[in-house]
Amino acid sequence: MTHVAPSPADLAPSELALGHMPISQGAAGDAASPASIRRLSQALAGKGPSVKAQKKAIETLKAAVAAIRVGDYASATRRCLSILQADERNGLAWHVLAIAREKGGHLSEALNAYEAALRVMPEDPAIAHDLARLAQRLGHLDIAEKLLMKFLAAEPGHIEGTNNLACVLRDQKRYDEAVDRLRDLIEIEQGSPVLWNTLGTVLSDQGQMSESLIFFDEALRLDPAFAKARYNRANVLQPLGHPEQALADLDGALPGAETPYERAMMRMARAMTLMGMGRLKDGFEEYEVRLDPEMPEAMLVAVDAPRWDPTTQDIAGKRLLVVGEQGIADEMVFGGCLPDVMEAVGPAGKVFIAVEARLVDLYQRSFPTAVVGSHRAVRLEGRLTRYCPFMEEIGETEGKADAWTPMASLCTVYRQDVSDFPDRDGYLVPDPVKVARWKAELEALGPGLKVGLHWKSLVLTGVRARYFSSFERWKPVLTTPGCIMVNLQCGDVTEDLAAAEAAGVTIWTPPMDLKDDLDDLAAISCALDLVIGPGIAGTNIAAAAGARTWLIHAPDDWHLLATDRYPFYPRVRTFATGGFDGWPRAIDAVRAALDVEVGNAA
């Protein structure tokens, strides 16, 4: 599931199914920081009067820089464009325009402007640095690395530049190189909290939470007002079992957020901490920050209807569009509120449900009185824009929606306390014909407990990798006597299956597309005796469809809501890793439980 850069610690969300949001630090520095603006002002001052046109351009750029100082990015943009219309080779105008567009949230335009500035002034290291920082934020790590190397060749020993290069190396999982860069400069700049902070992130990204605390503490000793280090410390205190201290750090960090982006990311971490503490009402209300345009993956919904405000609008008898968000696992988790909202709308109203295209059949079967269609998404100006073409297609026959709501926002209405979660096997209805067919296929494999396996996410970049175990560690489960293992893992797992075969373990792969045939995936999950895996899309589909499911969860998985289970799927059995190094313990616990299951089935 979903959902990732502020300086000096880029704050990026993880997939929601993984639990409490980890950090992924990014570039230090801010193109519109006081120091950066002073540098631009000095560059402009140094130009001096010249011909009339040049003098006018300099005065206009000074006014643009002044506008950036007070946050008037639109005015700064207009002033820069007026200069560039007359002289497209004005490198300073391109640079100031880039800063204004970046600060205004128009990241793709900012990237183009930085590139234009660098073409005009290729020897200006500051432009390379700013462009590298933005490239990193947009995920272009290879470009960011090259630009930072160029910058550091001109400015060796630059703290922000070295820090940012270490961040880029870390985000590419080149952890040793990142540590070497930081350590070499820390020997010279021992009083730099930025470097200590980023060194802590390199460790925390690898799951070394306790060790990383030492470096966050040192950064805060050097600078108690260092908000990003306080944020980072919060994100390791929570999985270490200290949520109250984590919340205190987040509350302490928020006033020091330097940009709206940083503030949004800190609020997201706060939301997940509150939910993980069982403070659902506060947590789900704070979770609305996921829609803040400052969030990297914030969803903008383009529909011809106002957003539903449950505090002022009675939804009974209305026509409500519920739009799924983020990833498939999120649509499973938050879709559990659909029966509640359908009851609230009542027979006089109508519910329209927009979900991922591969889920339409499953949802339509589960909610036959609703109209289910697929949503689509495009990225405009770096922002995810989601729309629902099926609503336009059925508009003439079904009519328009009176209001719309993001699917997760239903929790703020219907899940304000753990007691609000219904006790049920699942809420989605698999195709009974497909379930019967898969049962027959599984029986043909011979006697034994039929166990479906998931073991990793399709996305294992950056900090996400720490939430999953290597396939090799699953050997105790794979070799459980009396079990027939069934591969439900989507993606290319050829090497994993070959390694299992070489070790004498046969894992049957059903003849289906495990990535796209999600209706079949739900059906075979229910046909199996058991489905096991971490909290990814496949296990969430199994749980939501009522399949017997065992979930292995990380120490910061907020979905437990301060319980020892998943209230979203109350019949699911959970196994805790107890730490990012706790996969062997969790696997052993699953193996022991499987032995009991086999014994009971005998």
Side-chain angles (χ1 to χ4, degrees), residues 482-504:
C483 291
I484 294 178
M485 297 298 166
V486 177
N487 169 38
L488 298 183
Q489 179 64 54
C490 64
D492 184 3
V493 294
T494 305
E495 290 185 9
D496 290 341
L497 296 181
E501 192 74 32

Side-chain angles (χ1 to χ4, degrees), residues 315-589:
I315 204 63
K318 302 294 184 180
R319 305 167 65 79
L320 180 69
L321 169 63
V322 180
V323 182
E325 48 187 309
Q326 301 183 74
I328 289 174
D330 293 295
E331 295 191 354
M332 297 294 106
V333 168
F334 300 123
C337 291
L338 288 170
D340 302 76
V341 77
M342 292 192 67
E343 181 180 354
V345 167
K350 193 76 174 180
V351 174
F352 304 88
I353 305 171
V355 293
E356 216 278 350
R358 293 169 289 172
L359 297 172
V360 169
D361 289 345
L362 182 58
Y363 270 84
Q364 188 65 78
R365 183 184 313 108
S366 305
F367 303 104
T369 62
V371 175
V372 181
S374 64
H375 53 59
R376 297 179 187 171
V378 293
R379 194 166 290 277
L380 302 174
E381 291 298 334
R383 186 172 182 189
L384 183 70
T385 300
R386 184 157 289 182
Y387 62 103
C388 308
F390 77 98
M391 291 298 293
E392 296 180 7
E393 296 169 4
I394 66 173
E396 294 183 3
T397 57
E398 295 286 347
K400 291 170 53 177
D402 296 314
W404 77 277
T405 184
M407 189 177 284
S409 295
L410 296 176
C411 289
T412 63
V413 183
Y414 303 111
R415 299 292 185 266
Q416 297 187 5
D417 188 83
V418 172
S419 62
D420 294 333
F421 288 83
D423 185 13
R424 62 192 176 197
D425 286 330
Y427 67 92
L428 294 178
V429 180
D431 185 336
V433 175
K434 290 182 177 179
V435 172
R437 177 169 66 84
W438 286 117
K439 277 186 177 292
E441 291 252 15
L442 292 166
E443 288 173 3
L445 298 177
L449 200 70
K450 310 303 190 299
V451 180
L453 294 175
H454 300 268
W455 58 89
K456 65 182 179 182
S457 169
L458 280 181
V459 182
L460 289 176
T461 55
V463 296
R464 288 181 52 78
R466 75 187 186 200
Y467 286 91
F468 302 96
S469 168
S470 66
F471 183 67
E472 183 181 356
R473 286 182 181 159
W474 282 81
K475 185 176 181 180
V477 171
L478 300 177
T479 55
T480 306
C483 291
I484 294 178
M485 297 298 166
V486 177
N487 169 38
L488 298 183
Q489 179 64 54
C490 64
D492 184 3
V493 294
T494 305
E495 290 185 9
D496 290 341
L497 296 181
E501 192 74 32
V505 177
T506 299
I507 303 176
W508 181 66
T509 298
M512 60 180 285
D513 187 330
L514 290 165
K515 181 176 182 289
D516 292 330
D517 293 343
L518 299 187
D519 205 34
D520 265 308
L521 181 61
I524 194 172
S525 296
C526 292
L528 288 157
D529 295 305
L530 186 61
V531 175
I532 304 174
I536 58 175
T539 48
N540 275 267
I541 289 173
R548 194 154 176 256
T549 309
W550 291 358
L551 280 177
I552 304 173
H553 65 83
D556 59 347
D557 191 341
W558 65 265
H559 294 86
L560 275 73
L561 308 178
T563 71
D564 59 354
R565 57 192 175 87
Y566 266 48
F568 296 95
Y569 315 121
R571 306 288 175 82
V572 163
R573 183 172 178 179
T574 59
F575 293 82
T577 59
F580 293 108
D581 61 348
W583 270 92
R585 293 191 298 272
I587 291 293
D588 287 345

Side-chain angles (χ1 to χ4, degrees), residues 303-314:
V303 297
D304 186 17
R307 182 172 171 183
W308 176 40
D309 182 357
T311 63
T312 61
Q313 184 181 8
D314 184 359

